[in-house]
Amino acid sequence: MFSSTVLLSAAVGFVNGHTIFQRVHVNGVDQGYLNGVRYPTYDGPITNVSDPSVICNGGPNPLVTPYSQTIIDVPAGGTFIAEWHHVLQPDGYDPTDPADPIDPS
């Protein structure tokens, strides 16, 4: 555990990318585009790790309101997959976008 934490901490200094969480899959079933998800209007990076916006968005990435009121149940032992994309994309992965799913800039 300690070595994993140290390795992850060391890697954080080299990580860069922006993306938007857009879909949830529970036990292989898509729960719908932006359903049960709070999402920002923009995928720009928050560069100040001390800024509270890094936790809940804000600043350059304001959350869209009103929020989805859907609660997605995940049974104990179930699988949860978060789907991320470079920009808001209702149709999912865009193979023509070299920045999808994560913009490396």
Side-chain angles (χ1 to χ4, degrees), residues 28-104:
V29 178
D30 183 356
Q31 302 299 303
Y33 178 66
L34 303 176
N35 193 32
V37 175
R38 293 183 179 187
Y39 59 96
T41 55
Y42 173 67
D43 75 338
I46 296 172
T47 56
N48 177 358
V49 296
S50 299
D51 188 321
S53 298
V54 78
I55 299 169
C56 300
N57 290 308
N61 307 327
L63 287 173
V64 172
T65 56
Y67 304 130
S68 171
Q69 298 300 305
T70 302
I71 297 174
I72 298 173
D73 292 317
V74 181
T79 60
F80 177 94
I81 297 174
E83 187 175 325
W84 303 75
H85 294 284
H86 170 231
V87 294
L88 293 171
Q89 295 180 170
D91 297 327
Y93 177 69
D94 180 0
T96 65
D97 182 355
D100 189 33
I102 299 173
D103 184 354

